[in-house]
Amino acid sequence: MALFSKKNLEKSNKKFRYLELCLDTCDNFLIMGDPKDELKALAESMGYQVITVQLHSINPDLRGTPVIGNVSGIPCFNYHVPWADPIFEHPDKKFLVVFYIEEADPRAINALKSIIEAHDIQGHRADNFFVGVVCRDSSKEIQSTILPLLTRIDWVD
């Protein structure tokens, strides 16, 4: 099939329309396939700051990095989630957090539920972000509690 055939253009336009609609309405989404740089470019053109997280590279329970600090002279233990720093540091900006999940532990994928549903990142709520989940391997079977929370976009040609 030719690259610019009517059928290819219709498929391409459909996936871009779905993505644009999700971005326009801040609707959490799942892309099955590899959007390459198109996802980031479209999101940034719509005014979003894009944070990408390779989910396989962080702790499966998404707790973050353990940090020992001081509160009024009393030592305390907490977790730091470095990828979320811009969200909390810039509450006036809009963020799209894109989690790449193809190599992630299923526990980590399921741990995204509170982030997606309640906008809760380690007990801190923020309303200036929404979530995109990307599985570049479009043939991968995903079974997770987060699937009903996401609009699915098939990014295959």
Side-chain angles (χ1 to χ4, degrees), residues 13-91:
N13 288 340
K14 188 175 182 180
K15 65 187 176 189
F16 276 107
R17 280 195 309 265
Y18 283 151
L19 178 57
E20 190 173 33
L21 181 62
C22 288
L23 293 172
D24 194 41
T25 59
C26 299
D27 192 19
N28 302 307
F29 60 88
L30 164 67
I31 293 179
M32 293 300 293
D34 191 357
K36 298 182 177 66
D37 295 327
E38 297 161 320
L39 169 58
K40 186 175 181 180
L42 183 57
E44 287 177 348
S45 75
M46 296 178 76
Y48 296 104
Q49 305 291 314
V50 179
I51 298 172
T52 59
V53 180
Q54 300 294 331
L55 200 55
H56 72 278
S57 67
I58 60 178
N59 191 322
D61 61 12
L62 305 184
R63 283 190 302 200
T65 308
V67 176
I68 297 175
N70 256 325
V71 175
S72 301
I74 301 170
C76 66
F77 178 80
N78 210 338
Y79 288 100
H80 177 236
V81 182
W83 59 262
D85 285 345
I87 294 169
F88 295 111
E89 290 169 1
H90 304 284

Coordinates of all heavy atoms in Angstrom, one line a residue, residues 13-91:
N13 N -4.8 10.3 10.2 CA -5.6 11.4 10.7 C -6.5 11.0 11.9 O -6.7 11.8 12.8 CB -6.5 11.9 9.5 CG -5.8 12.7 8.5 OD1 -4.6 13.1 8.7 ND2 -6.3 12.8 7.3
K14 N -7.0 9.8 11.9 CA -7.8 9.3 12.9 C -7.0 9.2 14.3 O -7.5 9.7 15.3 CB -8.4 7.9 12.6 CG -9.4 7.4 13.5 CD -10.0 6.1 13.0 CE -11.1 5.6 13.9 NZ -11.7 4.3 13.5
K15 N -5.8 8.7 14.2 CA -5.1 8.6 15.5 C -4.6 9.9 16.0 O -4.7 10.2 17.2 CB -3.9 7.6 15.3 CG -2.8 8.0 14.4 CD -1.8 6.9 14.2 CE -0.7 7.3 13.1 NZ 0.1 6.2 12.8
F16 N -4.3 10.8 15.0 CA -4.0 12.2 15.4 C -5.2 12.9 16.0 O -5.1 13.7 17.0 CB -3.4 13.0 14.3 CG -1.9 12.8 14.1 CD1 -1.5 12.0 13.0 CD2 -1.0 13.3 15.0 CE1 -0.1 11.8 12.8 CE2 0.4 13.1 14.8 CZ 0.8 12.3 13.7
R17 N -6.4 12.7 15.4 CA -7.6 13.4 16.0 C -7.9 12.9 17.4 O -8.2 13.7 18.2 CB -8.8 13.1 15.0 CG -8.8 14.0 13.8 CD -10.1 14.0 13.1 NE -10.6 12.7 12.8 CZ -10.4 12.1 11.6 NH1 -9.8 12.6 10.7 NH2 -10.9 10.8 11.4
Y18 N -7.7 11.5 17.6 CA -8.0 11.0 18.9 C -7.0 11.6 19.9 O -7.4 12.0 21.0 CB -7.8 9.5 18.9 CG -9.0 8.7 18.4 CD1 -8.8 7.5 17.8 CD2 -10.3 9.2 18.4 CE1 -9.9 6.8 17.3 CE2 -11.4 8.5 17.9 CZ -11.2 7.3 17.4 OH -12.2 6.6 16.9
L19 N -5.7 11.7 19.5 CA -4.7 12.2 20.4 C -5.0 13.7 20.7 O -5.0 14.1 21.8 CB -3.3 12.0 19.9 CG -2.2 12.6 20.7 CD1 -2.2 12.1 22.1 CD2 -0.9 12.4 20.0
E20 N -5.3 14.4 19.7 CA -5.6 15.9 19.8 C -6.8 16.1 20.7 O -6.8 17.0 21.6 CB -5.8 16.5 18.5 CG -5.8 18.0 18.5 CD -5.9 18.6 17.1 OE1 -6.5 18.0 16.2 OE2 -5.3 19.7 17.0
L21 N -7.8 15.3 20.6 CA -9.0 15.4 21.5 C -8.6 15.1 22.9 O -9.0 15.8 23.8 CB -10.1 14.4 21.0 CG -11.3 14.4 21.8 CD1 -12.0 15.8 21.7 CD2 -12.3 13.4 21.3
C22 N -7.8 14.0 23.2 CA -7.3 13.7 24.5 C -6.5 14.9 25.1 O -6.7 15.2 26.3 CB -6.5 12.4 24.5 SG -7.5 11.0 24.3
L23 N -5.7 15.4 24.3 CA -4.8 16.6 24.8 C -5.7 17.8 25.0 O -5.5 18.5 26.0 CB -3.7 16.9 23.8 CG -2.6 15.8 23.6 CD1 -1.7 16.2 22.4 CD2 -1.9 15.6 24.9
D24 N -6.6 18.0 24.2 CA -7.5 19.2 24.3 C -8.4 19.2 25.6 O -8.6 20.2 26.2 CB -8.4 19.3 23.0 CG -9.1 20.7 22.9 OD1 -8.4 21.7 23.2 OD2 -10.2 20.7 22.6
T25 N -8.8 17.9 25.9 CA -9.7 17.8 27.1 C -9.0 17.3 28.3 O -9.6 17.0 29.3 CB -10.8 16.8 26.8 OG1 -10.3 15.5 26.4 CG2 -11.7 17.3 25.6
C26 N -7.6 17.2 28.3 CA -6.8 16.6 29.4 C -7.3 15.3 29.8 O -7.4 15.0 31.0 CB -6.8 17.6 30.6 SG -6.1 19.2 30.2
D27 N -7.6 14.5 28.8 CA -8.1 13.1 29.1 C -7.0 12.1 29.1 O -6.1 12.1 28.2 CB -9.1 12.7 28.0 CG -9.9 11.5 28.3 OD1 -10.0 11.1 29.4 OD2 -10.5 10.9 27.3
N28 N -6.9 11.3 30.1 CA -5.8 10.3 30.2 C -5.9 9.3 29.1 O -7.0 8.9 28.8 CB -5.9 9.6 31.6 CG -5.8 10.6 32.7 OD1 -4.8 11.4 32.8 ND2 -6.7 10.6 33.6
F29 N -4.8 8.9 28.5 CA -4.9 8.0 27.4 C -3.8 7.0 27.4 O -2.8 7.1 28.1 CB -4.8 8.8 26.1 CG -3.5 9.7 25.9 CD1 -2.4 9.1 25.4 CD2 -3.5 11.0 26.4 CE1 -1.2 9.9 25.2 CE2 -2.3 11.7 26.2 CZ -1.2 11.2 25.7
L30 N -4.0 5.9 26.6 CA -3.1 4.9 26.3 C -2.8 4.8 24.9 O -3.8 4.7 24.1 CB -3.6 3.5 26.8 CG -2.9 2.3 26.3 CD1 -1.5 2.1 26.9 CD2 -3.7 1.0 26.7
I31 N -1.6 4.9 24.5 CA -1.2 4.7 23.0 C -0.6 3.3 22.9 O 0.4 3.0 23.6 CB -0.2 5.8 22.5 CG1 -0.9 7.1 22.5 CG2 0.3 5.5 21.2 CD1 -0.1 8.3 22.1
M32 N -1.1 2.5 22.0 CA -0.6 1.2 21.7 C 0.1 1.4 20.4 O -0.5 1.6 19.3 CB -1.6 0.1 21.6 CG -2.3 -0.2 22.9 SD -1.1 -0.8 24.2 CE -0.7 -2.4 23.5
G33 N 1.5 1.4 20.4 CA 2.3 1.6 19.2 C 3.3 2.7 19.6 O 3.3 3.2 20.7
D34 N 4.1 3.1 18.6 CA 5.2 4.0 18.9 C 4.9 5.4 18.2 O 5.0 5.5 17.0 CB 6.5 3.5 18.4 CG 7.7 4.3 18.9 OD1 7.5 5.4 19.5 OD2 8.8 4.0 18.6
P35 N 4.5 6.4 19.0 CA 4.2 7.7 18.4 C 5.5 8.5 18.1 O 5.4 9.6 17.6 CB 3.4 8.4 19.5 CG 3.9 7.8 20.8 CD 4.2 6.3 20.4
K36 N 6.6 7.9 18.5 CA 7.9 8.6 18.3 C 7.9 10.0 18.9 O 7.5 10.2 20.0 CB 8.3 8.6 16.8 CG 8.4 7.2 16.3 CD 8.9 7.2 14.8 CE 9.1 5.8 14.3 NZ 8.0 4.9 14.1
D37 N 8.3 11.0 18.1 CA 8.4 12.4 18.6 C 7.1 13.1 18.4 O 6.9 14.2 18.8 CB 9.5 13.1 18.0 CG 10.9 12.5 18.4 OD1 11.0 12.1 19.5 OD2 11.8 12.6 17.6
E38 N 6.1 12.5 17.7 CA 4.9 13.1 17.3 C 4.0 13.5 18.6 O 3.4 14.6 18.6 CB 4.1 12.3 16.4 CG 4.8 12.1 15.1 CD 4.3 10.9 14.3 OE1 4.0 9.8 14.9 OE2 4.2 11.0 13.0
L39 N 4.0 12.6 19.6 CA 3.3 12.9 20.8 C 3.8 14.1 21.5 O 3.1 15.0 21.8 CB 3.4 11.7 21.7 CG 2.8 11.8 23.1 CD1 1.4 12.3 23.2 CD2 3.0 10.6 23.9
K40 N 5.1 14.2 21.7 CA 5.7 15.3 22.4 C 5.5 16.6 21.6 O 5.2 17.6 22.2 CB 7.2 15.1 22.6 CG 7.8 16.1 23.5 CD 9.3 15.8 23.8 CE 9.9 16.9 24.7 NZ 11.2 16.7 25.1
A41 N 5.7 16.5 20.3 CA 5.6 17.7 19.5 C 4.2 18.3 19.5 O 4.0 19.5 19.7 CB 6.0 17.4 18.0
L42 N 3.2 17.4 19.4 CA 1.8 17.9 19.4 C 1.4 18.4 20.8 O 0.8 19.5 20.9 CB 0.8 16.7 19.1 CG -0.6 17.1 19.0 CD1 -0.9 18.2 18.0 CD2 -1.5 15.8 18.6
A43 N 1.9 17.7 21.9 CA 1.6 18.2 23.2 C 2.2 19.6 23.5 O 1.5 20.5 24.1 CB 2.0 17.2 24.3
E44 N 3.4 19.7 23.1 CA 4.1 21.0 23.3 C 3.5 22.1 22.5 O 3.4 23.3 22.9 CB 5.6 20.9 23.0 CG 6.3 20.1 24.1 CD 7.8 19.9 23.8 OE1 8.3 20.1 22.7 OE2 8.5 19.4 24.8
S45 N 3.0 21.8 21.3 CA 2.4 22.8 20.5 C 1.0 23.2 21.1 O 0.6 24.3 20.7 CB 2.2 22.3 19.0 OG 1.1 21.3 19.0
M46 N 0.5 22.4 21.9 CA -0.8 22.8 22.6 C -0.6 23.4 24.0 O -1.5 23.6 24.7 CB -1.7 21.5 22.7 CG -2.1 21.0 21.3 SD -3.1 19.5 21.4 CE -4.7 20.2 21.9
G47 N 0.7 23.7 24.3 CA 1.0 24.4 25.5 C 1.4 23.5 26.7 O 1.5 24.0 27.9
Y48 N 1.5 22.2 26.6 CA 1.9 21.4 27.7 C 3.4 21.2 27.8 O 4.1 21.2 26.8 CB 1.3 20.0 27.5 CG -0.2 20.0 27.5 CD1 -0.9 19.8 26.3 CD2 -0.9 20.1 28.7 CE1 -2.3 19.8 26.3 CE2 -2.3 20.1 28.7 CZ -3.0 20.0 27.5 OH -4.4 20.0 27.5
Q49 N 3.8 21.1 29.1 CA 5.2 20.7 29.4 C 5.1 19.2 29.4 O 4.2 18.6 30.1 CB 5.6 21.3 30.7 CG 5.5 22.8 30.9 CD 6.5 23.5 30.0 OE1 7.7 23.1 29.9 NE2 6.1 24.5 29.3
V50 N 6.0 18.5 28.8 CA 6.0 17.0 28.7 C 7.1 16.4 29.6 O 8.2 16.8 29.5 CB 6.1 16.5 27.3 CG1 6.1 15.0 27.3 CG2 5.0 17.1 26.4
I51 N 6.6 15.6 30.5 CA 7.5 14.8 31.4 C 7.5 13.4 31.0 O 6.4 12.8 30.9 CB 7.1 14.9 32.9 CG1 7.2 16.4 33.3 CG2 8.0 14.0 33.8 CD1 6.6 16.6 34.7
T52 N 8.6 12.8 30.6 CA 8.6 11.3 30.2 C 9.2 10.5 31.3 O 10.2 10.9 31.9 CB 9.3 11.1 28.9 OG1 10.7 11.5 29.0 CG2 8.6 11.8 27.7
V53 N 8.6 9.4 31.6 CA 9.1 8.5 32.6 C 9.1 7.0 32.0 O 8.1 6.5 31.6 CB 8.1 8.5 33.8 CG1 8.6 7.5 34.9 CG2 7.9 9.9 34.4
Q54 N 10.3 6.5 32.1 CA 10.5 5.1 31.7 C 10.1 4.3 32.9 O 10.9 4.2 33.9 CB 11.9 4.8 31.2 CG 12.4 5.6 30.1 CD 11.6 5.3 28.8 OE1 11.1 4.1 28.6 NE2 11.5 6.3 27.9
L55 N 8.9 3.7 32.9 CA 8.4 3.1 34.1 C 9.2 1.9 34.6 O 9.3 1.6 35.8 CB 6.9 2.6 33.9 CG 6.1 2.4 35.1 CD1 6.1 3.6 36.0 CD2 4.7 2.0 34.8
H56 N 9.9 1.2 33.7 CA 10.7 0.1 34.2 C 12.0 0.5 35.0 O 12.6 -0.3 35.7 CB 11.2 -0.8 33.0 CG 12.2 -0.1 32.1 ND1 11.9 0.8 31.1 CD2 13.6 -0.2 32.1 CE1 13.0 1.2 30.5 NE2 14.0 0.6 31.1
S57 N 12.3 1.8 34.9 CA 13.5 2.2 35.6 C 13.3 2.8 37.0 O 14.3 3.2 37.6 CB 14.2 3.3 34.7 OG 13.4 4.5 34.7
I58 N 12.1 2.7 37.5 CA 11.8 3.2 38.8 C 11.2 2.1 39.7 O 10.7 1.1 39.1 CB 10.9 4.4 38.8 CG1 9.6 4.2 38.2 CG2 11.6 5.6 38.2 CD1 8.7 5.4 38.2
N59 N 11.2 2.3 41.0 CA 10.6 1.3 41.9 C 9.2 0.9 41.5 O 8.4 1.8 41.3 CB 10.7 1.9 43.3 CG 10.4 0.9 44.4 OD1 9.6 0.0 44.3 ND2 11.1 1.0 45.5
P60 N 8.9 -0.4 41.5 CA 7.5 -0.8 41.1 C 6.4 -0.2 41.9 O 5.3 -0.1 41.4 CB 7.6 -2.3 41.2 CG 9.0 -2.7 41.2 CD 9.7 -1.5 41.7
D61 N 6.6 0.2 43.1 CA 5.5 0.8 43.9 C 5.4 2.3 43.7 O 4.6 2.9 44.4 CB 5.6 0.4 45.4 CG 6.9 0.9 46.0 OD1 7.6 1.7 45.4 OD2 7.2 0.4 47.2
L62 N 6.3 2.8 42.9 CA 6.3 4.3 42.6 C 6.6 5.2 43.8 O 6.2 6.4 43.7 CB 5.1 4.7 41.8 CG 4.7 3.9 40.6 CD1 3.4 4.5 40.0 CD2 5.8 3.9 39.6
R63 N 7.2 4.6 44.8 CA 7.4 5.5 46.0 C 8.4 6.5 45.8 O 8.4 7.5 46.5 CB 7.7 4.6 47.2 CG 6.6 3.9 47.8 CD 7.0 3.2 49.1 NE 8.1 2.3 48.9 CZ 8.4 1.4 49.7 NH1 7.8 1.2 50.8 NH2 9.5 0.6 49.4
G64 N 9.3 6.3 45.0 CA 10.4 7.3 44.8 C 11.6 7.0 45.6 O 11.8 5.8 46.0
T65 N 12.5 8.0 45.8 CA 13.8 7.8 46.4 C 13.6 8.1 47.9 O 13.1 9.2 48.3 CB 14.8 8.7 45.8 OG1 14.8 8.5 44.4 CG2 16.2 8.5 46.4
P66 N 14.1 7.2 48.8 CA 14.0 7.5 50.2 C 14.9 8.7 50.6 O 16.0 8.8 50.2 CB 14.5 6.2 50.9 CG 14.6 5.2 49.9 CD 14.6 5.9 48.6
V67 N 14.3 9.6 51.4 CA 15.0 10.8 51.8 C 14.8 11.0 53.3 O 13.7 10.9 53.8 CB 14.5 12.1 51.1 CG1 15.2 13.3 51.6 CG2 14.7 11.9 49.6
I68 N 15.9 11.2 54.0 CA 15.8 11.5 55.5 C 16.0 13.0 55.6 O 17.0 13.6 55.1 CB 16.9 10.8 56.3 CG1 16.6 9.3 56.1 CG2 16.8 11.2 57.7 CD1 17.7 8.4 56.8
G69 N 15.1 13.7 56.3 CA 15.1 15.1 56.5 C 14.9 15.5 57.9 O 14.8 14.7 58.8
N70 N 14.7 16.8 58.1 CA 14.4 17.4 59.4 C 13.2 18.2 59.4 O 13.0 19.0 58.5 CB 15.6 18.2 59.8 CG 16.5 17.6 60.8 OD1 16.0 16.9 61.7 ND2 17.8 17.9 60.8
V71 N 12.3 18.0 60.3 CA 11.1 18.8 60.5 C 11.1 19.3 61.9 O 11.0 18.6 62.8 CB 9.8 18.1 60.2 CG1 8.6 18.9 60.5 CG2 9.8 17.5 58.7
S72 N 11.4 20.6 62.0 CA 11.5 21.3 63.4 C 12.5 20.5 64.3 O 12.3 20.3 65.4 CB 10.1 21.3 64.0 OG 9.2 22.0 63.3
G73 N 13.6 20.1 63.7 CA 14.7 19.5 64.4 C 14.5 18.0 64.7 O 15.3 17.4 65.3
I74 N 13.4 17.5 64.2 CA 13.1 16.1 64.4 C 13.4 15.3 63.1 O 12.8 15.7 62.0 CB 11.6 15.8 64.8 CG1 11.3 16.6 66.1 CG2 11.3 14.4 64.9 CD1 9.9 16.6 66.5
P75 N 14.2 14.3 63.1 CA 14.5 13.6 61.8 C 13.2 12.9 61.3 O 12.4 12.4 62.1 CB 15.5 12.5 62.2 CG 16.1 13.0 63.6 CD 15.0 13.8 64.2
C76 N 13.0 12.9 60.0 CA 11.8 12.2 59.5 C 12.3 11.6 58.2 O 13.3 11.9 57.5 CB 10.7 13.2 59.2 SG 11.0 14.5 58.0
F77 N 11.5 10.6 57.8 CA 11.8 9.8 56.6 C 10.6 10.0 55.6 O 9.5 10.0 56.0 CB 11.8 8.3 57.0 CG 12.0 7.4 55.9 CD1 13.3 7.2 55.3 CD2 11.0 6.7 55.3 CE1 13.5 6.3 54.3 CE2 11.1 5.8 54.3 CZ 12.4 5.6 53.8
N78 N 11.0 10.3 54.4 CA 10.0 10.6 53.3 C 10.5 10.0 52.0 O 11.7 9.6 51.9 CB 9.7 12.1 53.2 CG 8.3 12.4 52.8 OD1 7.7 11.5 52.2 ND2 7.9 13.6 53.1
Y79 N 9.7 10.1 51.0 CA 10.1 9.7 49.7 C 10.1 10.9 48.7 O 9.3 11.8 48.9 CB 9.2 8.6 49.1 CG 9.3 7.3 49.8 CD1 8.4 6.9 50.8 CD2 10.3 6.4 49.4 CE1 8.6 5.7 51.4 CE2 10.5 5.2 50.0 CZ 9.6 4.8 51.0 OH 9.7 3.6 51.6
H80 N 11.0 10.9 47.8 CA 11.1 12.0 46.8 C 10.9 11.4 45.4 O 11.5 10.4 45.1 CB 12.5 12.6 46.9 CG 12.7 13.7 45.8 ND1 13.7 13.7 44.9 CD2 11.9 14.8 45.5 CE1 13.6 14.7 44.1 NE2 12.5 15.4 44.5
V81 N 10.0 11.9 44.7 CA 9.6 11.5 43.3 C 10.2 12.5 42.4 O 9.5 13.5 42.1 CB 8.1 11.3 43.2 CG1 7.7 10.8 41.8 CG2 7.5 10.4 44.3
P82 N 11.4 12.4 41.9 CA 12.1 13.4 41.1 C 11.3 13.8 39.8 O 11.3 15.0 39.5 CB 13.4 12.8 40.7 CG 13.6 11.6 41.5 CD 12.3 11.2 42.1
W83 N 10.7 12.9 39.2 CA 10.0 13.3 37.9 C 8.8 14.2 38.2 O 8.4 15.0 37.3 CB 9.5 12.1 37.1 CG 8.6 11.1 37.8 CD1 8.9 10.0 38.5 CD2 7.2 11.3 38.0 NE1 7.8 9.4 39.0 CE2 6.7 10.2 38.7 CE3 6.3 12.2 37.5 CZ2 5.4 10.0 39.0 CZ3 4.9 12.1 37.9 CH2 4.5 11.0 38.6
A84 N 8.3 14.3 39.4 CA 7.2 15.1 39.7 C 7.6 16.5 40.2 O 6.7 17.4 40.3 CB 6.3 14.5 40.8
D85 N 8.8 16.8 40.4 CA 9.3 18.1 40.9 C 8.7 19.2 40.0 O 8.2 20.2 40.6 CB 10.8 18.2 40.9 CG 11.4 17.4 42.1 OD1 10.6 17.0 43.0 OD2 12.6 17.1 42.1
P86 N 8.8 19.2 38.7 CA 8.3 20.4 37.9 C 6.8 20.6 38.1 O 6.4 21.8 38.1 CB 8.6 20.0 36.5 CG 9.7 18.9 36.5 CD 9.5 18.2 37.8
I87 N 6.1 19.5 38.4 CA 4.6 19.7 38.6 C 4.3 20.5 39.8 O 3.5 21.4 39.8 CB 3.9 18.3 38.7 CG1 4.0 17.6 37.3 CG2 2.5 18.4 39.1 CD1 3.7 16.1 37.4
F88 N 5.0 20.2 40.9 CA 4.8 20.9 42.2 C 5.5 22.3 42.2 O 5.1 23.2 42.9 CB 5.3 20.1 43.3 CG 4.4 18.8 43.5 CD1 4.9 17.6 43.2 CD2 3.1 18.9 43.8 CE1 4.1 16.4 43.3 CE2 2.3 17.8 43.9 CZ 2.8 16.5 43.7
E89 N 6.6 22.4 41.5 CA 7.4 23.7 41.5 C 6.7 24.7 40.6 O 6.9 25.9 40.8 CB 8.8 23.4 41.0 CG 9.6 22.7 42.0 CD 11.0 22.2 41.4 OE1 11.3 22.5 40.2 OE2 11.7 21.5 42.1
H90 N 5.9 24.3 39.6 CA 5.2 25.2 38.7 C 3.7 24.9 38.6 O 3.2 24.4 37.6 CB 5.9 25.1 37.3 CG 7.3 25.3 37.3 ND1 7.9 26.6 37.4 CD2 8.4 24.4 37.2 CE1 9.2 26.5 37.4 NE2 9.5 25.2 37.3
P91 N 3.0 25.2 39.6 CA 1.5 24.9 39.6 C 0.8 25.7 38.6 O -0.4 25.3 38.3 CB 1.1 25.3 41.1 CG 2.1 26.2 41.5 CD 3.4 25.9 40.9

